Amino acid sequence: MINTLALISASLIPALSWLSYRYLLRDTRRFALNRALLLLAMSGSLILPWLTIPTLGLNRLPLSIQEVVYASLPEVLVGASTSPVSNLWSPAAIIYLYWGVVLLLGSALLLNVLRIGWQIRKAKPAEFQGRKFRLGQRGQSYSFFNFIVLDPDLMVEPDQLLRVLAHEEAHRKQGHSADAVLAELVRVLFWFNPFAWMLPRMVSENCEFLADRASLRALPGLQSYARLLINSASASVHSGSTRALIAPSFEHSQTKRRLIMLSNSTTPKKHAIRYGMSIVLTVLGFALCACSKQDKDPSDLLAQRNRSENSARQSAGEQSASDEAMRAEEVDVMPEFPGGMNALMEFLSSEIRYPEAASEAGTEGRVIIDFVVLPNGSLSNVNIIKGFDPDCDAEALRAVKAMPNWNPGQKGGVAVPVRLYLPVVFALS
């Protein structure tokens, strides 16, 4: 299961990658090395959030100290004159929002791929000097994995046809479509990061530099190639054609920059410093993500110490159930209050009352209560792991202990104990 903190940390990787390329590598001519660094950053940002990296040292602590809070329920807000309500910005609500946007953007990406496939299927097969391709819409020449689609107007000008074909063949042979798809997946997964939206353009730009260089090596003639770039860009604008976003295209908008990068193929030695700095930034992004992917959270140790002190007062049977409680990511079905989350909020509305003494004193704060839902649905080890006022703490604890049996969590079709925690906020305003 993906970790929220790791997801946010992993979003730093495309951000650092974009900044590194934009301000350190963009003016260099080692396009293949630039591509390798971009691919490394994109692949890492997509893979790392899903991995679990063992914590060094913490796994040697006693089990009672290693225990962690396994899953969070939505925060409950208690006012002096109002009933408790679920916080709209609870962890669950944020998770639903995140995955909703991911689903929306992912569907749009899939439709884009299907649209490209449909255009390729409609394109007419053609051949020139033994080289096969397809003829698509006017003003569009692009490649998508093993398919090349060219502007039909190029058929009347063999020299231009060969140059554009060499360019698109470079895209195909070097697998630039995979780069574009990876960049789009990064944008989908990290949609909340503005740098993820700018990264696909950088990746596309570098792929165009690589294809331009390969095309010139196959058919030398910088001036002829420059004229072709200018004419193709102009024709594309005047025809109003719009190429598919993830298909590397000859009609790239940054014609001037492509010509500048082709005019000089040398890379000054001082640029080695830039690559060193870029590698440091990439490693830093990976390190931050790795640190957040710990299977135990060190920040919980103090809370666990307080809970272990309270749990020491419990019976041996209850302590055993606590030790065996499973993590949220280890179960197939999470425990559920009878009737669902709305029913839980209604129950708490009828149970929790703002203590009169705390209300008169203007006392406000947050209580965090944890408990274990046992395989039979009953609650065990109900403890306060963080409190702020004795009266408010006692009221929240009383309400949780009054809850009826839950529907237990399951793993592999078998009921298992699962630990949950419930934040309760007492606020007068």
Side-chain angles (χ1 to χ4, degrees):
M1 184 175 181
I2 197 168
N3 182 287
T4 304
L5 177 60
L7 185 69
I8 296 174
S9 300
S11 70
L12 293 176
I13 298 177
L16 292 174
S17 179
W18 185 91
L19 291 171
S20 173
Y21 181 88
R22 176 63 180 82
Y23 295 105
L24 296 175
L25 307 181
R26 198 183 185 198
D27 294 330
T28 65
R29 267 71 174 179
R30 298 189 183 278
F31 307 133
L33 181 55
N34 294 349
R35 182 194 182 198
L37 291 174
L38 288 170
L39 285 175
L40 176 64
M42 291 189 296
S43 301
S45 63
L46 290 174
I47 295 174
L48 279 179
W50 306 93
L51 299 179
T52 298
I53 301 174
T55 304
L56 298 178
L58 285 179
N59 55 353
R60 295 191 296 268
L61 294 175
L63 181 60
S64 61
I65 301 298
Q66 289 188 55
E67 289 179 356
V68 295
V69 176
Y70 295 123
S72 170
L73 295 170
E75 188 175 84
V76 177
L77 180 62
V78 181
S81 58
T82 60
S83 299
V85 295
S86 176
N87 190 344
L88 292 178
W89 293 106
S90 65
I94 294 176
I95 291 174
Y96 290 142
L97 172 63
Y98 168 77
W99 285 113
V101 177
V102 168
L103 180 62
L104 180 64
L105 294 178
S107 299
L109 176 59
L110 178 60
L111 289 175
N112 197 4
V113 172
L114 294 176
R115 180 168 65 89
I116 296 173
W118 178 250
Q119 290 179 353
I120 292 174
R121 185 176 181 180
K122 291 193 304 179
K124 181 181 178 181
E127 185 175 344
F128 185 77
Q129 295 184 359
R131 301 156 81 173
K132 296 181 179 181
F133 51 91
R134 292 172 179 264
L135 296 177
Q137 300 178 12
R138 295 186 59 187
Q140 286 191 355
S141 295
Y142 60 90
S143 62
F144 191 65
F145 289 98
N146 289 328
F147 297 97
I148 294 178
V149 180
L150 299 183
D151 181 354
D153 291 343
L154 293 173
M155 294 298 291
V156 299
E157 301 183 32
D159 180 68
Q160 292 188 10
L161 174 63
L162 286 175
R163 290 188 179 278
V164 176
L165 186 56
H167 179 95
E168 298 304 334
E169 284 180 340
H171 280 310
R172 182 182 63 182
K173 292 177 181 179
Q174 297 180 26
H176 293 166
S177 293
D179 299 46
V181 171
L182 270 179
E184 289 300 316
L185 290 176
V186 169
R187 181 178 64 87
V188 170
L189 189 62
F190 302 107
W191 57 264
F192 53 87
N193 184 345
F195 292 100
W197 291 81
M198 297 184 286
L199 187 61
R201 184 175 180 84
M202 287 294 184
V203 172
S204 176
E205 177 186 84
N206 191 67
C207 288
E208 292 303 323
F209 294 158
L210 283 165
D212 287 339
R213 174 177 290 178
S215 179
L216 272 179
R217 287 175 178 174
L219 295 171
L222 180 59
Q223 292 184 352
S224 299
Y225 194 79
R227 285 195 299 269
L228 177 59
L229 278 177
I230 295 172
N231 293 336
S232 298
S234 177
S236 178
V237 171
H238 284 87
S239 66
S241 63
T242 304
R243 71 177 180 90
L245 177 63
I246 60 175
S249 168
F250 185 80
E251 295 86 11
H252 197 272
S253 60
Q254 295 186 343
T255 304
K256 180 179 178 181
R257 179 156 190 84
R258 290 169 68 183
L259 293 174
I260 292 174
M261 298 304 287
L262 287 173
S263 63
N264 186 359
S265 60
T266 61
T267 300
K269 292 183 179 180
K270 64 180 181 180
H271 285 175
I273 300 177
R274 298 188 181 187
Y275 281 102
M277 296 175 63
S278 177
I279 292 174
V280 169
L281 288 175
T282 302
V283 172
L284 176 62
F286 277 81
L288 290 174
C289 184
C291 289
S292 67
K293 282 300 297 180
Q294 305 294 330
D295 59 356
K296 301 288 188 294
D297 188 353
S299 64
D300 284 337
L301 289 180
L302 180 59
Q304 301 314 313
R305 185 186 64 186
N306 295 334
R307 185 173 65 231
S308 64
E309 292 174 355
N310 293 329
S311 298
R313 304 186 185 98
Q314 305 294 326
S315 66
E318 290 177 323
Q319 183 63 43
S320 176
S322 173
D323 289 343
E324 296 176 359
M326 305 192 72
R327 299 183 188 186
E329 61 265 29
E330 293 177 347
V331 298
D332 302 324
V333 179
M334 286 296 296
E336 184 181 40
F337 187 86
M341 194 58 62
N342 291 334
L344 174 61
M345 293 302 133
E346 291 176 3
F347 174 84
L348 294 174
S349 298
S350 63
E351 284 293 330
I352 303 180
R353 291 292 180 267
Y354 212 116
E356 184 176 351
S359 177
E360 293 177 354
T363 303
E364 298 178 323
R366 189 168 184 256
V367 183
I368 300 178
I369 299 176
D370 76 333
F371 55 93
V372 175
V373 180
L374 297 175
N376 62 5
S378 63
L379 306 186
S380 174
N381 290 75
V382 183
N383 298 304
I384 296 176
I385 61 173
K386 180 182 178 183
F388 71 98
D389 176 77
D391 293 335
C392 293
D393 297 350
E395 175 64 12
L397 187 65
R398 181 197 63 78
V400 171
K401 288 183 175 180
M403 288 193 294
N405 287 1
W406 285 49
N407 299 322
Q410 296 184 17
K411 179 177 177 61
V414 179
V416 292
V418 180
R419 180 178 294 282
L420 303 174
Y421 80 81
L422 175 69
V424 180
V425 176
F426 289 83
L428 295 172
S429 57

